[in-house]
Amino acid sequence: MKLAMYIGRRLLRVVLCLIAVSMLTFTLLQLAPGDFASIQASGGGTVGLAQEATSEQQAGLAARYGEDIPVWQQYLKFMAGALTGDMGPSYKYQHLNVEEIIAGAFPISASLAVGAILISVLVAVPLGILAAVRRKSVWDWGTMFAATLGHGLPNYLAGLVLVVIFSGMLSLLPPFGWDGPANMILPVLALSIAPIGVLARYVRNSVLENLREEYVVAAKSKGGRFRTIMVRHVLRNSMMPLVTVLGPMFAGLATGTIFVESIFGVPGLGRYFTEAAVSRDMPLLMGTTLFFAALLMVMNLVVDLLYALLDPRVRADLGLTRTGEESARRTGDAGATDRQPVAVGGAS
């Protein structure tokens, strides 16, 4: 029951946050200069509507794209459609609805995010463990320096460097397009560089913290093998907190591939988001923004639930376990119930 109430409260927060995000996004769109109709009329669009911006043509384009009604009606119209899963057609891609674009493009962005997460974990975990085991050594300093450098390197800059090396100098991988598995390699590598730095530092600090715990000191004093202590105790407890990092990291990578997808010509959701922002495609921009926000909030909720499932202390902090008084009361009630028949039997 407590778990259901907790999930219900979190879902209510998600809904309220999404409403706030939608209002803020819509307000910023209205404050920005120009609109989709005026951009197309002035020749700045790409849907074949460029022409001389006469007042009649402007009015016709505004009516065509629903920008001739009051602003508050535009917002309510979009939100009513979003609640039913029908966000309407995109201004720029008139033959596609916004939800169809999201459904088709997000799996591509998600595949890049999953690949980047896998590479980051496979590289960062061994680096972090070795840096912790060889603390204050040249290996430790060099690893953490590289991790900090990689963390501070923007993914679009990393992508450009990878293109120069693997496509320009070595001619090993295609620099642009989405024609096969080979086109995934460079985008995934560009997205994984910063997470490797984050996870490596996180693993190092977590391993060092667990190495100072009393149970590790006790195991060493009893003559336990260092490798056995590391595998059975230190690594197991050190890897569990990674759950709190990987969930939001996946959401961040899946929603943060905007520049990488533009550089490598990947038809993911980030690329559509960029094009919607440039052309002022309000339905597509609103839809992708709400989808990104919902994904991040849901992933945070999933991470919290998984961490509570793995760690009893977190369940206690969230109020999902019985307190000592409640347990004692239940035990006392059970004991009283068990003793009552004995007393009655003795009297008879």
Side-chain angles (χ1 to χ4, degrees):
M1 185 63 182
K2 290 184 178 180
L3 179 60
M5 293 178 61
Y6 172 75
I7 296 176
R9 290 195 302 268
R10 290 294 301 269
L11 290 178
L12 179 60
R13 293 180 187 176
V14 169
V15 173
L16 295 177
C17 289
L18 288 178
I19 294 175
V21 169
S22 67
M23 296 179 65
L24 179 61
T25 303
F26 189 83
T27 301
L28 293 176
L29 281 173
Q30 299 303 318
L31 294 177
D35 53 29
F36 184 80
S38 63
I39 291 174
Q40 298 305 313
S42 61
T46 57
V47 294
L49 298 176
Q51 50 188 302
E52 295 181 1
T54 64
S55 58
E56 293 81 3
Q57 292 164 343
Q58 285 276 16
L61 289 173
R64 180 175 181 178
Y65 296 108
E67 295 178 343
D68 59 338
I69 60 177
V71 173
W72 64 271
Q73 290 185 10
Q74 296 180 34
Y75 173 77
L76 293 180
K77 181 180 178 180
F78 175 82
M79 291 304 295
L83 291 176
T84 60
D86 182 12
M87 300 181 188
S90 165
Y91 290 170
K92 184 178 177 63
Y93 304 95
Q94 303 173 30
H95 61 289
L96 292 174
N97 283 353
V98 173
E99 61 272 13
E100 294 174 347
I101 294 176
I102 294 176
F106 177 68
I108 298 176
S109 298
S111 64
L112 297 180
V114 170
I117 289 290
L118 290 177
I119 292 178
S120 301
V121 171
L122 293 176
V123 175
V125 170
L127 290 180
I129 293 173
L130 290 175
V133 172
R134 301 180 182 181
R135 182 170 175 260
K136 295 184 178 181
S137 65
V138 176
W139 174 266
D140 182 20
W141 293 332
T143 301
M144 290 302 100
F145 175 77
T148 304
L149 184 63
H151 183 205
L153 185 67
N155 53 25
Y156 62 86
L157 183 57
L160 293 176
V161 173
L162 291 174
V163 168
V164 171
I165 296 175
F166 291 98
S167 298
M169 298 174 59
L170 301 178
S171 300
L172 294 177
L173 297 171
F176 192 84
W178 192 252
D179 302 322
N183 294 99
M184 290 185 61
I185 298 177
L186 290 183
V188 168
L189 290 177
L191 290 173
S192 63
I193 291 178
I196 288 174
V198 175
L199 293 179
R201 294 177 63 89
Y202 197 91
V203 171
R204 175 186 179 274
N205 294 336
S206 182
V207 171
L208 286 176
E209 182 179 352
N210 280 276
L211 284 173
R212 300 188 187 100
E213 294 292 336
E214 294 181 358
Y215 67 90
V216 175
V217 177
K220 290 180 180 179
S221 64
K222 293 180 180 180
R225 297 179 58 187
F226 180 75
R227 180 177 298 179
T228 303
I229 296 173
M230 286 291 297
V231 174
R232 291 186 179 181
H233 303 289
V234 176
L235 295 185
R236 180 180 178 183
N237 292 329
S238 299
M239 295 303 106
M240 191 171 65
L242 285 181
V243 176
T244 61
V245 180
L246 293 178
M249 182 174 288
F250 168 78
L253 288 174
T255 60
T257 59
I258 298 173
F259 298 109
V260 171
E261 290 177 2
S262 299
I263 292 173
F264 293 100
V266 178
L269 196 55
R271 183 179 177 184
Y272 281 102
F273 180 83
T274 304
E275 294 178 353
V278 172
S279 62
R280 295 294 303 278
D281 188 344
M282 192 275 291
L284 183 55
L285 193 58
M286 287 284 294
T288 51
T289 300
L290 287 178
F291 180 80
F292 287 157
L295 177 64
L296 183 59
M297 296 175 193
V298 171
M299 288 304 300
N300 284 329
L301 175 59
V302 171
V303 166
D304 289 343
L305 294 177
L306 288 176
Y307 203 56
L309 180 65
L310 296 173
D311 195 339
R313 296 170 297 180
V314 178
R315 290 198 297 270
D317 293 338
L318 295 177
L320 302 180
T321 57
R322 297 174 183 173
T323 61
E325 295 180 358
E326 183 180 354
S327 300
R329 185 174 64 254
R330 289 179 178 270
T331 304
D333 293 341
T337 304
D338 293 339
R339 288 190 299 272
Q340 185 175 359
V342 175
V344 172
S348 61

